[in-house]
Amino acid sequence: MKKGIIAVISLAAAAAISTGAFVYVQNSDKKDKEKKSKELAENQLFDIDSDSIGMIEIKSAEGSYTLRLDGDRWVNAPDSGNTFHIAQSKAQLICTTICDLEADTNYGEADSESKEKYGLNDPYVLTVSDGNQDYTINIGDASPTGNYYYAMVDGKNKIYAVEATEVTSLLTTRFDLIDSSIVPYSDEEISGIAVKRGGKTAFELTRNLNTGLWELPEEYSLLTVNQTRPSTMVTVLARLSAAQLVEENVTDLSQYGLDDPYAELTVSGTDGTSHTLILSRYGREASKMTHVLIKDTGLLGLYYTSDLDFVDYDIYDIIMQNVESANMYRITEFSFSCDEAEDTFTLDATADTAECRGTPIDLAKAEIKNMFTAFYNSFSYISITDTDIEAAPELADPVLSARYVFEGGEESQVDLVSTGEGSDCYVFVDGKYTGTITSSDFISGNSSMMSEYKTLCELAGLEPNLK
């Protein structure tokens, strides 16, 4: 009996101890949570609506800058004394970083000794304002490991350690604030691109605002612009920023080779303004980096040479290099004449019928249709090999002439006239020199226009009309 009573008492004591331990642990956990919650609250430096920030003020050893939001763009405050265009991405990054900035830990109350120890006696000072309240952070030295920066905020007399990745978004230099975009236009706002090299215009393009298509000057009106070329240029120009800013208000042009530049690029906008850029491929890194001086601002930056490769273009590089004389499905008749032969064909390509010198050609037969098409395309699609707009050739003794009659009765003619150098020929369309050059090698030889003409005649039961 006595043993049973002792066992019951022992169990009751154990239960009491267990309950006491549970209560103790529970209270301890609660205190730990409260402590952590308090620490988190203490280390939450700011809680700001980033969209409400309308002013940024920076004070550092380098200088002082005040930015204000004007509509949806950041600009220098009128009383700041700065006139450069603001890098919008940098201003926006400051706002989004500071709005919910947290410290990793804090080192307690600050005094003059600790401020000096952590570089906070002469800090980098950043203030933002939402119009109702100013929020200021003072940034001191980086930690020995570089993982943190020491900081203080107005209203809290504590020294905090803030992750370096956060702080570097807040730290800025003058060149960080300057907009290094190569032009101040969007894709849609660029209306003209012109490049000069050696004092001569290499090419000039203007966007027709009615059609949206890019055009060459009037003297090149017979050439067709390859629209992908200017479209690529515009995409690059509208987004290109300097890899590194070098200098403001450059005075010694020779220091960067700008006294004898590689090229001059002028970009025009739909607002009637234009910006001229002076390009110098100068120094040991010229193959990788190009010095670009923005003429109207005097700002000099380094840009990747590969992004500006189009300044090496000539007219030839921006035109369609395969010119279609006439689509076979739009004509009713065509003829050709060269040194070896001449002939005339009538056709209705949609009905698979054609005729030559009174002999029908059955284009419904695949072998004949394929050879007819190959023969037609051999001289109706001209591969441009070069341009020479300054040449003034006469239309005389063409090595090849091709005439086309369209469905509506209109006619067109292409003539190739020898340049006197090898197989090169000037290209004429409707009696006008186009400013382009092609090769006449396609006329004779194996797999040539003449070989395909003779094969077509054989398949159609015709004698070639040789001269």
Side-chain angles (χ1 to χ4, degrees):
M1 183 69 180
K2 191 178 288 185
K3 288 182 179 178
I5 294 170
I6 292 171
V8 170
I9 293 171
S10 297
L11 288 171
I17 292 169
S18 176
T19 302
F22 172 77
V23 171
Y24 173 80
V25 170
Q26 188 179 45
N27 289 337
S28 179
D29 285 347
K30 184 178 180 182
K31 288 178 181 178
D32 285 344
K33 288 179 181 177
E34 288 175 350
K35 182 180 179 183
K36 288 180 181 178
S37 178
K38 184 179 180 182
E39 287 176 353
L40 286 173
E42 287 179 349
N43 292 344
Q44 179 72 47
L45 303 184
F46 298 110
D47 183 13
I48 315 166
D49 177 5
S50 62
D51 292 333
S52 70
I53 298 174
M55 185 277 290
I56 300 172
E57 186 176 71
I58 297 164
K59 294 179 181 178
S60 68
E62 186 200 41
S64 298
Y65 309 96
T66 303
L67 284 56
R68 298 196 186 282
L69 195 61
D70 183 9
D72 60 354
R73 292 191 64 80
W74 287 96
V75 298
N76 282 297
D79 57 352
S80 69
N82 296 307
T83 58
F84 55 79
H85 295 295
I86 298 297
Q88 300 299 306
S89 59
K90 182 62 181 179
Q92 290 159 5
L93 181 60
I94 289 172
C95 294
T96 54
T97 302
I98 200 171
C99 68
D100 56 358
L101 190 65
E102 293 181 11
D104 189 70
T105 188
N106 76 73
Y107 297 96
E109 295 295 317
D111 55 29
S112 58
E113 184 179 345
S114 59
K115 286 182 180 180
E116 183 175 358
K117 177 182 177 181
Y118 294 116
L120 287 160
N121 54 339
D122 186 20
Y124 174 99
V125 182
L126 171 66
T127 301
V128 301
S129 175
D130 60 8
N132 296 314
Q133 183 177 345
D134 291 348
Y135 305 88
T136 300
I137 183 169
N138 297 269
I139 302 170
D141 295 337
S143 66
T145 62
N147 294 330
Y148 299 96
Y149 275 85
Y150 305 112
M152 295 183 68
V153 298
D154 282 10
K156 296 183 178 183
N157 191 39
K158 292 180 182 292
I159 295 177
Y160 298 91
V162 184
E163 286 191 10
T165 52
E166 297 286 335
V167 175
T168 52
S169 297
L170 302 176
L171 295 173
T172 186
T173 65
R174 183 180 180 86
F175 279 172
D176 290 333
L177 288 174
I178 294 176
D179 182 4
S180 66
S181 300
I182 202 164
V183 294
Y185 306 123
S186 67
D187 304 51
E188 296 78 13
E189 292 169 340
I190 297 177
S191 62
I193 302 170
V195 170
K196 288 183 179 179
R197 293 194 306 273
K200 294 183 178 180
T201 299
F203 67 85
E204 184 178 353
L205 288 161
T206 304
R207 177 151 52 186
N208 185 318
L209 299 181
N210 293 320
T211 64
L213 298 177
W214 288 88
E215 300 173 348
L216 290 163
E218 182 61 29
E219 60 265 35
Y220 299 96
S221 60
L222 295 176
L223 303 180
T224 302
V225 174
N226 180 351
Q227 297 295 321
T228 60
R229 292 295 199 187
S231 294
T232 301
M233 296 179 207
V234 164
T235 299
V236 170
L237 288 168
R239 292 162 176 74
L240 189 58
S241 295
Q244 177 187 337
L245 288 180
V246 178
E247 189 175 336
E248 289 182 274
N249 305 314
V250 177
T251 54
D252 185 2
L253 298 181
S254 63
Q255 184 180 353
Y256 306 101
L258 293 164
D259 55 332
D260 184 21
Y262 177 77
E264 181 177 297
L265 169 64
T266 300
V267 183
S268 303
T270 53
D271 61 358
T273 63
S274 64
H275 293 264
T276 297
L277 314 168
I278 309 300
L279 286 72
S280 171
R281 293 181 180 171
Y282 179 79
R284 289 182 299 177
E285 295 293 310
S287 62
K288 295 180 180 178
M289 307 300 294
T290 295
H291 284 85
V292 178
L293 174 65
I294 302 175
K295 203 170 181 180
D296 57 336
T297 64
L299 188 64
L300 176 67
L302 278 171
Y303 295 77
Y304 288 105
T305 299
S306 57
D307 288 332
L308 296 165
D309 60 354
F310 58 85
V311 300
D312 293 312
Y313 287 177
D314 291 305
I315 293 292
Y316 173 76
D317 298 301
I318 57 177
I319 62 171
M320 297 297 292
Q321 294 169 5
N322 290 295
V323 179
E324 180 184 16
S325 299
N327 188 297
M328 190 170 72
Y329 287 87
R330 293 181 54 223
I331 63 171
T332 59
E333 180 182 320
F334 71 92
S335 60
F336 77 93
S337 176
C338 63
D339 290 343
E340 295 183 53
E342 60 182 6
D343 219 334
T344 300
F345 296 79
T346 58
L347 79 155
D348 184 346
T350 57
D352 280 342
T353 61
E355 187 176 297
C356 178
R357 288 174 273 133
T359 299
I361 301 174
D362 187 2
L363 301 182
K365 293 182 178 179
E367 186 179 15
I368 295 177
K369 176 70 173 287
N370 290 340
M371 184 51 61
F372 186 92
T373 303
F375 160 63
Y376 181 84
N377 289 343
S378 68
F379 61 88
S380 295
Y381 288 85
I382 300 170
S383 294
I384 301 302
T385 58
D386 202 357
T387 60
D388 186 355
I389 197 65
E390 295 180 358
E394 294 183 5
L395 178 48
D397 303 319
V399 299
L400 174 69
S401 294
R403 183 179 65 88
Y404 306 89
V405 180
F406 292 89
E407 293 170 339
E410 306 91 351
E411 294 189 15
S412 180
Q413 181 160 323
V414 176
D415 295 282
L416 307 184
V417 176
S418 176
T419 66
E421 296 182 8
S423 60
D424 287 347
C425 292
Y426 297 115
V427 181
F428 287 79
V429 174
D430 296 333
K432 296 179 181 179
Y433 172 52
T434 62
T436 60
I437 293 172
T438 189
S439 171
S440 62
D441 289 340
F442 70 89
I443 296 176
S444 301
N446 295 326
S447 300
S448 65
M449 182 193 83
M450 281 305 303
S451 67
E452 287 164 350
Y453 168 66
K454 291 173 183 177
T455 302
L456 173 64
C457 288
E458 181 181 349
L459 292 173
L462 285 164
E463 284 294 324
N465 194 37
L466 303 177
K467 290 184 179 179

